[in-house]
Amino acid sequence: MKVAKDLVAASATPMVLGILAEGESYGYAILRRISELSGGELDWTEGLLYPLLHRLERLGYVEASWQAAVGERRRKYYRITDQGLAELAEQRRQWDTVAQALKKLGGTGVLAVMPLEGPA
Amino acid sequence: MTAREDELEKQFAQWRHYVQRRKELRTADVDELEDHLRGCVDELVEAGLTADEAFLVAVKRMGSLDELSREFAREHSDRLWKQLVLTGDTGGSETDRRSRLDLWVMCVCAVGAAVSVKVPELFGVKWQGNIEFYAANFSLFALPWLAAYLGWRRRLNSVLIAILVALFAIGAVAANVYPVAETSQAVVISAIHLPIALWFVVGLAYVATDWRSSRRRMDFVRFTGEWFVYLVLIALGGGVLVAFVSGTFAAIGIAPYTFISQWLVPCGVMGAIVVAGWLVEAKQSVVENIAPVLTRLFTPLFTAVLLAFLVAVVWTSAGINIERNALILFNLLLVVVLGLLLYSLSARDPLTPPGLFDRLQLALVVSALAIDVLVLVEITGRITEFGTTPNRIVALGENVVLLVNLAWSAWLLARFVLRRTPFAALEQWQTGYLPVYAAWAWIVVFVLPPLFNYA
């Protein structure tokens, strides 16, 4: 099963903010983490990730800086800001609302078999 | 580094080069994407692939560059409005540092030009009462600084620098040391021709060691047009600034007119000459050129005016009444036509086949040629009737110089429209002819005054 494109796009912001809430990270690591979290089911492209990161930076949800750790390449790291944490909490609430609503539809049809939880 | 790693680095460099051509992507983005690609390659190599295989797979995974660029463009639509970055806070790569340094050198040169115009006052040569001095010298205040800025950018060698300094010195001598009578026509003639002569010295600084190259000369033609457009824009902004300075300060009872007329305007104009040159250099890769667009707009209009004028001359069968002012007007008109011709040539893709616009241009050149002949007949008539004066000789020479260019241009344009000659012939003719203007301007400034005993 692959997650539909629309759903991937809609969940992209809380996914990235959630990952960055675990600690600062960079593009390639974020992509790997997403793949790991979803067991490879979430199909993200670079064209989705990097423009999204730049947008979050523009909105002030994340901060970016070029860093060179010892023995590593110069790399652009992203860190979540307080504003980003607030946005993440808000988006979580919205996702929970959607998930709860879907859960209540439990007995009716296909949705019953889908294990619904809040997003990571 | 092993040969294999070396090969991999080469592939990365190639990929980078390819990606950097996308205007939606900035250098910092390319850095970020390269880091991503490298991360991917490292992981694949760890999983047991060879470097070559890993690179291919990683590039393939990154997907189509078109799609990637489209996504970037959606987020950064402002980038498609190409912008001139002045703050230089985009990651600190080598080119950014260079352009920041460039900005500083430009500032120094602009301030230098602005200060130069006030230096004569230290020696008691005030603005009032010395209009001739300032008229004769104004190009000497700013153009050496513009040449210095361009020379710095081109990293000129010492021989070329010496030549430039010598040429400016000769210009200064011609403008100031010749014992020209203050009322003589030579003052006006020199004030008009010295800037032209010195502009070609700036051109030498611009083309630097490539002075033989036709393409480089065409670049200088483009530079001249863009520079003029920027200068006009800066002048418009300066006008607004002056209006506000005089209005707002007058409102609180301070009359800043001395400051405006003696400091703001002269220093501003001199500085603007350098700033405009810097803008062309800084923006040439950023923004589409505007001078050729103006040329396209005005070529049909000028053609219509010239044709109407010729029809009127034939209709009324009146000769051109050449007084001094009219003479200058006609010369200017021909120069404008030549400018239109040069600019549309400089902006044209040499490989496009001849079209309607080229025919229009041919009409423009032929009508200019007809007017040039009319003017020439008139001047020769006056010279044989009333004898030579510096003014008439200058006008005569200028019209001959223009006549030769226009005649051969018309011939080449006609052949080009008939598809007998490639466009390149026309281009080479124009760039090859540039030194003729320079030579004539220098003759007028340097040779004519002694020839006429400084009359």
Side-chain angles (χ1 to χ4, degrees):
Chain A
M1 176 203 69
K2 284 274 181 200
V3 179
K5 219 176 166 185
D6 286 354
L7 203 52
V8 170
S11 61
T13 300
M15 284 292 280
V16 168
L17 289 177
I19 289 170
L20 290 177
E22 296 174 344
E24 68 171 5
S25 187
Y26 57 94
Y28 187 66
I30 294 172
L31 216 54
R32 258 198 334 217
R33 181 90 179 104
I34 285 164
S35 168
E36 189 184 303
L37 286 169
S38 68
E41 301 293 349
L42 278 172
D43 189 21
W44 280 42
T45 61
E46 290 78 4
L48 171 65
L49 175 67
Y50 287 102
L52 172 66
L53 282 170
H54 295 179
R55 188 160 67 87
L56 295 178
E57 187 185 354
R58 177 163 57 81
L59 295 172
Y61 298 156
V62 303
E63 283 171 348
S65 61
W66 285 89
Q67 296 172 21
V70 187
E72 273 189 29
R73 285 192 291 277
R74 208 168 73 90
R75 195 169 262 163
K76 196 174 179 185
Y77 280 90
Y78 293 88
R79 188 183 322 101
I80 194 162
T81 62
D82 292 343
Q83 221 186 323
L85 286 170
E87 177 66 17
L88 177 61
E90 168 63 23
Q91 295 234 356
R92 274 225 168 99
R93 264 198 300 284
Q94 293 179 11
W95 275 93
D96 282 341
T97 311
V98 174
Q100 293 298 327
L102 281 173
K103 228 181 218 168
K104 283 180 191 155
L105 288 171
T108 61
V110 277
L111 285 167
V113 297
M114 280 173 71
L116 282 166
E117 293 160 20
Chain B
M1 198 184 278
T2 68
R4 180 157 283 178
E5 280 170 15
D6 208 31
E7 185 56 35
L8 188 63
E9 282 309 311
K10 223 177 277 172
Q11 282 176 315
F12 273 121
Q14 248 172 28
W15 177 85
R16 233 190 122 81
H17 181 72
Y18 182 61
V19 176
Q20 252 167 349
R21 280 193 306 209
R22 301 274 168 166
K23 55 183 182 295
E24 296 90 347
L25 299 173
R26 292 257 163 87
T27 312
D29 302 332
V30 179
D31 287 346
E32 192 174 24
L33 289 173
E34 187 186 335
D35 178 53
H36 184 100
L37 195 64
R38 282 175 187 274
C40 199
V41 168
D42 287 351
E43 196 181 77
L44 289 166
V45 168
E46 255 170 59
L49 266 63
T50 68
D52 267 11
E53 291 167 343
F55 185 81
L56 280 175
V57 172
V59 168
K60 184 89 185 158
R61 269 195 201 167
M62 194 167 269
S64 113
L65 211 49
D66 282 336
E67 205 173 302
L68 191 66
S69 304
R70 204 162 39 242
E71 294 300 329
F72 268 90
R74 203 168 289 165
E75 166 58 21
H76 299 286
S77 61
D78 57 311
R79 288 182 186 169
L80 299 175
W81 297 87
K82 302 173 204 165
Q83 278 160 354
L84 180 64
V85 182
L86 289 180
T87 45
D89 54 2
T90 47
S93 68
E94 179 56 34
T95 47
D96 288 333
R97 255 196 301 280
R98 178 84 190 161
S99 74
R100 236 171 313 166
L101 189 58
D102 204 45
L103 184 65
W104 280 108
V105 173
M106 178 280 283
C107 285
V108 169
C109 288
V111 170
V115 169
S116 298
V117 77
K118 299 304 285 183
V119 166
E121 281 194 16
L122 292 179
F123 301 96
V125 186
K126 286 251 184 285
W127 191 257
Q128 289 93 349
N130 290 294
I131 296 300
E132 294 87 8
F133 170 81
Y134 280 95
N137 281 290
F138 79 92
S139 54
L140 278 163
F141 298 130
L143 294 186
W145 291 99
L146 179 57
Y149 166 69
L150 291 171
W152 177 83
R153 272 185 67 92
R154 306 284 185 277
R155 302 173 192 200
L156 296 188
N157 58 37
S158 44
V159 178
L160 210 49
I161 292 174
I163 292 174
L164 293 176
V165 171
L167 285 171
F168 279 117
I170 294 174
V173 167
N176 296 299
V177 180
Y178 280 172
V180 178
E182 282 207 355
T183 48
S184 94
Q185 299 166 341
V187 174
V188 178
I189 291 172
S190 169
I192 295 174
H193 286 84
L194 186 62
I196 300 172
L198 294 181
W199 186 251
F200 282 99
V201 181
V202 171
L204 189 57
Y206 184 91
V207 298
T209 44
D210 293 336
W211 57 276
R212 282 169 204 269
S213 149
S214 171
R215 304 301 307 177
R216 277 311 276 162
R217 286 186 196 180
M218 211 34 138
D219 284 342
F220 178 62
V221 170
R222 289 189 192 99
F223 173 84
T224 306
E226 293 295 308
W227 173 85
F228 183 71
V229 170
Y230 284 126
L231 194 65
V232 170
L233 288 178
I234 295 174
L236 285 175
V240 174
L241 181 72
V242 165
F244 274 108
V245 168
S246 63
T248 49
F249 277 87
I252 55 171
I254 302 169
Y257 303 119
T258 326
F259 167 74
I260 289 175
S261 66
Q262 303 211 349
W263 289 92
L264 190 60
V265 171
C267 294
V269 169
M270 293 302 142
I273 287 173
V274 177
V275 174
W278 165 78
L279 271 176
V280 183
E281 289 281 288
K283 290 201 92 150
Q284 64 183 1
S285 60
V286 184
V287 152
E288 310 300 339
N289 298 342
I290 189 72
V293 180
L294 294 179
T295 315
R296 287 242 152 187
L297 278 174
F298 282 101
T299 296
L301 298 175
F302 266 91
T303 313
V305 169
L306 292 195
L307 287 174
F309 176 75
L310 282 173
V311 168
V313 167
V314 173
W315 190 265
T316 60
S317 60
I320 304 173
N321 178 24
I322 302 236
E323 287 170 18
R324 186 180 299 175
N325 288 342
L327 207 62
I328 291 174
L329 182 70
F330 277 101
N331 271 336
L332 276 179
L333 180 68
L334 295 175
V335 169
V336 168
V337 170
L338 193 71
L340 288 174
L341 179 66
L342 264 178
Y343 277 98
S344 41
L345 294 188
S346 79
R348 198 179 188 287
D349 177 2
L351 298 178
T352 346
L356 179 65
F357 192 79
D358 301 289
R359 284 188 204 108
L360 197 62
Q361 203 139 47
L362 182 59
L364 178 73
V365 172
V366 169
S367 42
L369 202 56
I371 290 176
D372 197 0
V373 170
L374 282 177
V375 174
L376 263 177
V377 167
E378 202 67 27
I379 298 172
T380 339
R382 271 179 86 89
I383 288 177
T384 45
E385 202 173 330
F386 304 107
T388 54
T389 63
N391 240 344
R392 286 181 202 139
I393 290 298
V394 169
L396 181 70
E398 240 139 41
N399 279 288
V400 170
V401 166
L402 289 174
L403 182 78
V404 171
N405 185 304
L406 289 173
W408 194 247
S409 297
W411 167 251
L412 287 175
L413 254 176
R415 285 181 62 88
F416 173 64
V417 167
L418 296 171
R419 294 164 195 263
R420 298 256 171 80
T421 325
F423 178 73
L426 203 52
E427 211 176 56
Q428 267 159 17
W429 162 248
Q430 291 299 345
T431 54
Y433 204 73
L434 289 178
V436 177
Y437 306 125
W440 177 248
W442 277 98
I443 288 172
V444 170
V445 170
F446 203 67
V447 181
L448 279 192
L451 218 58
F452 282 90
N453 292 319
Y454 310 104

